[in-house]
Amino acid sequence: MARTVDPEKHRARRLLIIDAALTCFAESGYAGTSTAAICRRAGIGSGTFFHYFPTKQSLLLAILALGTDETRAWFAACPADGSPIAVVEAYLDHTSAQMADPRMPGFVRAVGAVVGEPEVDAALDEDTRVLQDGLEPWIVRAQEAGEVRTDLPAHDLTSWVLVVLDGFLGRLATDAAFTAEKQAGTLRDAVRRLLAVSEV
Amino acid sequence: MARTVDPEKHRARRLLIIDAALTCFAESGYAGTSTAAICRRAGIGSGTFFHYFPTKQSLLLAILALGTDETRAWFAACPADGSPIAVVEAYLDHTSAQMADPRMPGFVRAVGAVVGEPEVDAALDEDTRVLQDGLEPWIVRAQEAGEVRTDLPAHDLTSWVLVVLDGFLGRLATDAAFTAEKQAGTLRDAVRRLLAVSEV
DNA sequence: CCTTTAGTGGAGTACGTGCTCTAGTATTGC
DNA sequence: GCAATACTAGAGCACGTACTCCACTAAAGG
C-alpha cells in the first residue's frame, strides 16, 4: 500500500495555491476572486484546489493564520534588552519591509473588507489582538522609562500607533507614488512624534 | 398626456434607495450585498430599483459622487481668513462628525476594497484627489506662516495627514471601543504633532 | 371622460459561482 | 509485478446573482 508520498511536495503545492490566491485577492478582492481564477493562476484544476482546501474561505483563513503566526513569532523572538521604543520602531521597519512585496498592501485592504463571515471576523480580530498585545507591553515599558508620554494610557497609544500603521498600509495600496521604501523613514518619524513626551 | 409627476418625489425615492444601500454595503460589503437585499431594505421591488439605477455599480458611483461633492462643497465654503492650520483641524472635526453615523466607517472600508472595476477606481481616485487638492493649499499657507514644519514638502505632509485620517476611519470600523466622539480630540492632537515645527 | 406615460412590482432568465464526482495517473509497499 | 492509495484534472450541478420583461396603477393633459 502507499501512504503519504511526499509531505514536502504537499506543503509546496499548498504554498503555490496560497501564493496564487494572494495575488488574486490583492488584484480583485476576496469576493471578486473566483476559485477558478485562483486555479488558473496556480495552473491547477479545481479538483486539486479542493483537495488542498475544503472551501474558499478556509484558504483565506490559512493565509490569515500565516500572517498572525508571523507576527506572534516576531514578538516572541524580540530581544528583551535595549530601548523599548527601539522595539516599536523595529516593528514598523519590519512591516515596511514586508510591504515591499507590492501585493501585500492590496491584500491587506481586500481582506479588511471581508465582513459578515464570523470565522473570518474572528481571525481578523485575533490578528489585531496579537499585534496589540505584542506592542502594548513595550509602550508600557517606554512610558516607565520616560521615553513616551503618559497623558494617554498605553492601550490608547498602542491603538494610535496601529492607526498610523493601518493608514500607512492603506495609502500604499491606493497611491502608486507612495512606496514603502521611500516613506518608511517618515513612518518612524510620525510614530516618534505621536509618542513623544513633549507637549506640542 | 402626463409628464414628470413630481421631481421631488423622484429625488426622495432615489435617496431612500441610496440610504438603504449605504446600510447594506456597510454591513456586508459591496460584493456581499445583493440588489435583492437593497430592495428588501428599501421596501421596493427590483423593477423599481433598476428604474432609478441602471446597474448596481451605478448606485455605488452615485453614492461616491455624493461624498465627493460634499467634500468639494466644504472646501469651497471654507473661509479664507483665519489660521490655516485651524482649517485643517476644522476638516478633521468635520470628518469626525460625519463618522458619528455608525454606518459610515463600515461603508468607507467596504468601498475601499472594491477594485478592478475601472469606473469605481476612477471615482475613488477623484475622491482622494479632491481631498488632497482641498487640503494642500492650507498646508502650504501654514508652512508660509511658520505654523507647520518645512522639512517635508506640503504634498507629502498632506498625504500623511490623510494617512492618519484613513487609519482613524479604519479603526472606527473595526474596533467597537474606538468611537469618533471619544477619539476626535486625539485625532486633532495626532495631526498637530505630525505637522508641528519642533523637531522631536 | 379617455389617453398617455412615469412609476411600480415581481416573476422570469441567462449566467457565473463554489463545490462535487468520477475517471484516470503517479507513486509507494509488498 | 501488483495492489492500494495519494493526487490530479475537469466536466457537471445546484444555487444565487444582476438584470429584464411585462402587466398594472396613478396621475395629468385634452
Side-chain angles (χ1 to χ4, degrees), chain B residues 165-185:
Chain B
L165 191 57
D166 283 358
F168 177 73
L169 300 185
R171 190 80 186 186
L172 289 178
T174 52
D175 185 345
F178 195 97
T179 64
E181 288 90 352
K182 287 193 176 176
Q183 300 292 338

Side-chain angles (χ1 to χ4, degrees), chain A residues 2 10 13 45-48 52:
Chain A
H10 186 94
R13 196 119 203 199
S46 89
T48 306
Y52 284 87

Side-chain angles (χ1 to χ4, degrees), chain B residues 2-3 10 13 44-48 51-52:
Chain B
R3 292 287 162 81
H10 186 93
R13 197 120 205 198
I44 60 171
S46 90
T48 307
H51 177 73
Y52 284 88

Side-chain angles (χ1 to χ4, degrees), chain A residues 17 20-21 24-25 30-47 49-50 53-57 59:
Chain A
I17 298 175
C24 291
F25 290 159
Y30 175 70
T33 298
S34 64
T35 57
I38 300 172
C39 293
R40 229 175 296 126
R41 175 100 46 174
I44 59 170
S46 89
F49 179 97
F50 287 99
F53 298 96
T55 63
K56 180 186 168 186
Q57 189 188 94
L59 165 61

Side-chain angles (χ1 to χ4, degrees), chain A residues 80-146:
Chain A
D81 54 351
S83 151
I85 205 163
V87 172
V88 175
E89 297 195 356
Y91 183 75
L92 297 178
D93 289 345
H94 171 65
T95 306
S96 293
Q98 275 188 310
M99 296 302 150
D101 181 340
R103 299 172 304 170
M104 289 305 295
F107 176 77
V108 170
R109 182 181 47 159
V111 162
V114 179
V115 280
E117 311 189 53
E119 302 197 62
V120 178
D121 285 347
L124 290 173
D125 281 357
E126 204 207 344
D127 195 65
T128 59
R129 203 174 48 74
V130 166
L131 184 44
Q132 178 103 23
D133 292 353
L135 222 45
E136 194 171 322
W138 297 102
I139 303 273
V140 171
R141 288 200 209 179
Q143 283 182 321
E144 288 165 354

